[in-house]
Amino acid sequence: MAGARRMGPCAVPWMMLCLLCLPPSARAQTKIPLETVKSWADAFGGELYSIVTKYSGSPLLQKKYKDVEPTLKIKEVDGLELVKKFSDQMESMLRRKVEAVERLVEAAEDADLNHEYNSSLEFDYYNSLLINDKDENDNYVELGDEFILEPNEHFNNLLVNTTYSDIQLPTNVYNKDPAILNGVYMSEALNPIFVDNFERDPTLTWQYFGSSTGFFRLYPGIKWLPDENGVISFDCRNRGWYIQAATSPKDIVIIVDVSGSMKGLRMTIAKHTIVTILDTLGENDFVNIIAYNDYVHFIEPCFKGILVQADRDNREHFKQLVEELQAKGVGTVSKALTESFKILREFRDAGQGGLCNQAIMLITDGAVEDYEAVFEKYNWPDRKVRVFTYLIGREVTFAPNVKWIACNNKGYYTQISTLADVQENVMEYLHVLSRPMVINHDHDIIWTEAYMDSALPQSEELFASQAQSLLLMTTVAMPVFSKKNETRSHGILLGVVGSDVPLRELLKLAPRYKLGVHGYAFLNTNNGYILSHPDLRPLYKEGKKLKPKPNYNSVDLSEVEWEDRDEILRTAMINGETGYLSMDVKVPVDKGKRVLFLTNDYFFTDISGTPFSLGVVLSRGHGEYILLGNTSVEEGLHDLLQPDLSLANEWIYCITDIDPDHRKLSQLEAVIRFLTGEEPDLECDEELVQEVLFDAVVTAPMEAYWTTLALNMSLDTEAGVEMAFLGTRAGLMRSALYVGSEKISNKKFLTQKDKESIFTMDHFPLWYRRAAEHPPGSFIYSIVSEDDSEGGGLPKVVTVSTAVSVSVDGKMGIAAAVGVQIKLDLLQRKFWMAMQQPNDSDCSALDGACPLSCQDDILNCFLIDNNGFILVSKVPEETGKFFGAVDGSVMTQLLNMGMFRRVTMYDYQAMCKVPYHHHSGARPLLSPIYAFLAAVKWLISDFLIFLLEFNMSSFWHSDNLADAKAVFHHSHKHKKHDMLQPCDTEYPVFVYEPAIKETNGLIECGDCQKMFVAQQIISSNLLLLVTDAVCDCSVFPPVPMDAKEVKYILPLTHNASVKCERMRSQKLRRRPDSCHAFHPEENAQDCGGTAGISVCPTLLLLPLVLLLR
């Protein structure tokens, strides 16, 4: 039984009456007087309030802002006007990137037009792997001349050469191949354009040319490092920007022969071919895979008869299913072709899929039956579907048949006999699909989804140093064509030119100070994927390393703004609309341990000339007001020079990253030089600088106040107050130490190492955001652990903060937040001193132990915050823990009484552990001899397969040897026992209901009853909780806070259909505007040919391998 009261007078008599009615054996062992607990709470709360107001100086700061209210203006932000302004600025900035790429395209095409191919060309170039390398005689190696590299802040302090570009080649591409030498020689013409582009637009970052032959010219030049196996696997032709620029959207059906003749090596090559094709697909493409032998089956039965978007999840799902394919039976290709043509026609007629290119990829070791009738019925004479054929193995008997299929359906034929051949042969289909665009000379501009440039050196250091959502970039790219008339009908794609655009550069155009305490800007793509969002978390921790999540660039808008359950916001933004939407949202903060309840207004529009949409979010109320103050430069400048003052270094008060002379300046130094006229060339945000000047003047008296306090501190009574600090809405911060810097308990606080405690491009400090949503004059207490991210060490300090508000004409704005950081033991000392009755207390009217103290064995006393986390407990190890994990009985009762409520939150970017399952058959256990034979079989068969995967005649080339080594090494890596994979989770957050000031109750615990009393601590977010320590109430389980994975499979009969329905569902997306599927001048007879067959001795061992398998 339990009772609660909301300041009502009836609860205490009612409780006492219930106690009297209980049988003697069930009565509470310990009685806790309610008045005593209230007096403890009031005494402790009063002393705490006195300490934090004194040492933070909050009354003084509130008074200073009150004094200037008559001179203040509060302007309401027009969200639609703001989002349109930001969009126009972003469009202008992105247009400059496009112009840079267009200049590169023109230069590359002109250079090719004037270049005559020379098969015996000899030419030395800067090879990014070999530059600055010397041999044993101290001479530079071939292609490795001296190449000056210097650190450059604009390129994340990487060592670069801003005068020249250099050339990167994947390990499997020979660096002196005539085609490579001619292409590199021709593209030297890009060097001066790279440099000129960078001089015209210093915000440009990486510029590059990816050649269709496989080399990659990068500016500025860098030293490229191989992986741990000595291999460079980066191939520009595999990158999303290259593939998207080279081809239009495509619907692909992959048909794979799984008949008995495909066993062994052929099946291995076929699987690798499918995976490589899947890697060439992106979010604008659609795909399905059909396997055939005696009958036709979709490798994912759920996708029968449809095409699915080739997003990352579907591609990875297909790859897993491909690995499970097994060869058996007899192959009949005509049924599979018929099924494929039907799907493609149905999608085309229904206006679904990519609505552009359509193709069938046939992977087989031979085709014998009559299939011409299928083409006559479904594809001729229009030939709307191209057919690409891949003949697997060295057998040439069926080569004419397989080639005929491709040549008569505007496709391309290749023969793949080794794993090393797969990559180059698969890429051929992209060149065929690019022909219509090349012949038309349509230079479509493409923008990629967000991605991380993890291929560059030092990427791991970059991951650790920046806000996660700002590590991402997009690429603008355009195709480069041969303009030679003699090859026009062949539609020769020379390559793709691109330039990276860091998304942080775009977001600089949506200044943080204009968006309020909780506001933010975000970007998404035509497919609904997040380009940039402060809640996007693209990295995860594996051990001590930060790594990109597998699905980091396909996080949907609906997975971040998950309150948009009807996807109204998502639909409008994908359709490129301009508009407004309001939503009540739950915003997780402090790593999901706490939640803010806000009403957000969403304003959105498209960014012209791109597939992107921009959203701006303002929180209702103070979040939609801008404070405008006025002060003189002279007065403000004087106060800016005070030593305790700093500015948000990630905010753009002045542009310092373009002029090399300005890059060394902090934002505060830049503002001061701008105001004093020392740097007349500096470009600064005058509105923000004016706000800073005003805040500097208003907050200036705080320095003298804090200094006086520090000089007069009593070491006995106030030991433990370590620091005072304040922050204003203009990103200005002041702080003062009350102890020597070496004695500070939390040295990360207010530094770059604790991003949550400072102003960043993504957010205001956490102590500021939480204080802004708390009643004015009341303090927020947050427990800070020694190393929250690692979970190491017990908490040592508490951060205390309160908001400072101003009111003008009935509008209330948050001008600043101010606070102190105190040692936890100061809080604990004051707590235990307050939680006891004096020895001379009058106990005559009290029933039970008297005088009573929280130190008594019969009581447990806790100080908890408004999210249920323990700040003070008798057991030090419980500090920082969730109260429900310590005492499930009382927490359950507080939830039942409504004093706390459980809020369910969702995380659609979580990473969950996948348990390692060790598969082992029972047969080896029956006989040691069988185990030995199985081991011999494995050694022989796997080693022979390894030999057969690579052409032995080419093994003597060191590059190929390295590539082979890498593939072999990769295939034999041991899997870790606990792998992490993307998942969805739900988790609870517990929130105190402040309307309930106090409550108490009895909990039935079997043999006894447990009494508890909860009392709010005034002017804070804290609660005093006193419970009976004698009654064992362990029958109540703990109340967990653990996140649980959301499973989308219902049990029993519905599981398959529910899972399938979810997989088949297609979210709304907007198709790219352009399509180049066919051209009448296209030379369709250029459709591939039989590769030269070289006899390999290891082929003689193939029957043995197949037998062993």
Side-chain angles (χ1 to χ4, degrees), residues 923-935:
R923 197 162 48 148
L925 300 175
L926 302 176
S927 165
I929 299 172
Y930 184 87
F932 172 76
L933 289 175

Side-chain angles (χ1 to χ4, degrees), residues 124-128 130-134 138-150 161 163-166 222-223:
D124 283 341
Y125 59 89
Y126 290 116
N127 183 305
S128 62
L130 302 173
I131 52 171
N132 300 328
D133 285 359
K134 293 184 176 182
D138 205 34
N139 296 319
Y140 288 109
V141 299
E142 190 178 20
L143 303 182
D145 210 348
E146 182 182 14
F147 194 74
I148 296 169
L149 297 169
E150 296 173 330
N161 184 318
T163 307
Y164 294 102
S165 60
D166 59 4
I222 62 165
K223 175 77 173 175

